[in-house]
Amino acid sequence: QQQVKQSPQSLIVQKGGISIINCAYENTAFDYFPWYQQFPGKGPALLIAIRPDVSEKKEGRFTISFNKSAKQFSLHIMDSQPGDSATYFCAASKSGNKLVFGAGTILRVKS
Amino acid sequence: DTGVSQNPRHKITKRGQNVTFRCDPISEHNRLYWYRQTLGQGPEFLTYFQNEAQLEKSRLLSDRFSAERPKGSFSTLEIQRTEQGDSAMYLCASSTTLLTDEQFFGPGTRLTVL
């Protein structure tokens, strides 16, 4: 039962471009939506997170846009760099409990 | 300031053997989570503890899996009679009840069952 759907599966972006990854969720009880970055052989690292009471959150080059009515949220990486090449996961949880993850997006930034 | 640590980092075992993994959470984090990640997929929840109490177990956690957190600090995950389908990365995460939503992950234990 996939409660969080993530797209695209893979993405190639030129250096300096904008990377956009989208997620959609089903459970309206979810109230916390983080994005994680994972490099090969490493554990996921928390990048940025948002709650449904705001529509956008920005931290450095990373921005989350949140659309509560559409049950969708997205990650934008501005000025993408080769070092951003990694797998990105969206996730959702209810009241600080278990995270439900999307299937991941493999991002490659070409220099 | 140390993050979540997991040991061993890699484990190769033969089918039918038992294996045990250890997770040491961030100091003073009272919540500890176990997830399993297979190649090309996102992590899937297995179980979590608040202090020493195991509060939730996924249906993915068959009878061959058991997890403990005896003193509310480190945790162990044991898999009995391993099967090839158990091959995966086992991830541990921790959080505090002050910031319960932010989970910090360890590097994982890569299990290969031959």
Side-chain angles (χ1 to χ4, degrees):
Chain A
Q1 181 184 1
Q2 186 181 10
Q3 296 187 54
V4 178
K5 294 183 179 179
Q6 183 171 346
S7 62
Q9 281 188 310
S10 62
L11 182 61
I12 300 175
V13 174
Q14 290 289 339
K15 179 181 174 183
I18 302 173
S19 304
I20 302 173
I21 305 170
N22 301 299
C23 280
Y25 63 97
E26 299 171 2
N27 189 343
T28 55
F30 288 147
D31 58 7
Y32 174 70
F33 303 89
W35 284 90
Y36 283 84
Q37 178 190 58
Q38 187 175 32
F39 293 103
K42 306 291 186 183
L46 180 63
L47 263 182
I48 185 172
I50 198 167
R51 297 184 186 279
D53 53 344
V54 296
S55 60
E56 187 174 281
K57 182 175 181 180
K58 183 176 181 181
E59 289 184 359
R61 295 185 296 111
F62 301 94
T63 300
I64 299 179
S65 297
F66 186 84
N67 186 329
K68 187 174 180 179
S69 61
K71 294 188 287 185
Q72 294 176 346
F73 58 110
S74 60
L75 176 69
H76 296 231
I77 306 174
M78 313 300 286
D79 186 27
S80 299
Q81 298 297 313
D84 296 331
S85 297
T87 301
Y88 292 80
F89 294 96
C90 61
S93 73
K94 178 177 65 174
S95 304
N97 292 315
K98 64 188 177 188
L99 289 167
V100 178
F101 283 84
T105 296
I106 301 171
L107 172 65
R108 180 183 162 206
V109 181
K110 294 173 65 174
S111 56
Chain B
D1 180 30
T2 57
V4 178
S5 62
Q6 293 187 246
N7 288 288
R9 294 293 311 280
H10 303 274
K11 179 70 176 178
I12 300 174
T13 190
K14 293 182 179 179
R15 189 173 47 151
Q17 297 294 305
N18 299 342
V19 294
T20 300
F21 310 140
R22 175 176 170 134
C23 170
D24 287 88
I26 293 172
S27 178
E28 297 180 359
H29 276 196
N30 57 350
R31 285 196 172 189
L32 187 148
Y33 307 79
W34 286 99
Y35 293 84
R36 180 171 68 187
Q37 185 177 26
T38 53
L39 204 60
Q41 298 297 318
E44 292 179 295
F45 170 78
L46 292 177
T47 188
Y48 94 94
F49 294 83
Q50 179 158 320
N51 300 313
E52 64 275 10
Q54 189 172 18
L55 297 187
E56 187 174 352
K57 290 168 57 173
S58 164
R59 283 173 290 178
L60 292 175
L61 213 65
S62 76
D63 291 345
R64 298 184 297 105
F65 287 69
S66 62
E68 293 183 342
R69 195 182 183 199
K71 296 183 180 179
S73 57
F74 71 92
S75 175
T76 58
L77 178 68
E78 181 183 16
I79 309 175
Q80 296 182 327
R81 306 180 304 280
T82 52
E83 301 172 356
Q84 288 187 325
D86 297 330
S87 296
M89 175 79 87
Y90 289 84
L91 293 162
C92 175
S94 70
S95 69
T96 83
T97 46
L98 295 178
L99 288 171
T100 53
D101 295 341
E102 294 187 355
Q103 294 184 25
F104 299 91
F105 282 81
T109 294
R110 167 73 65 190
L111 172 65
T112 301
V113 181
L114 301 176

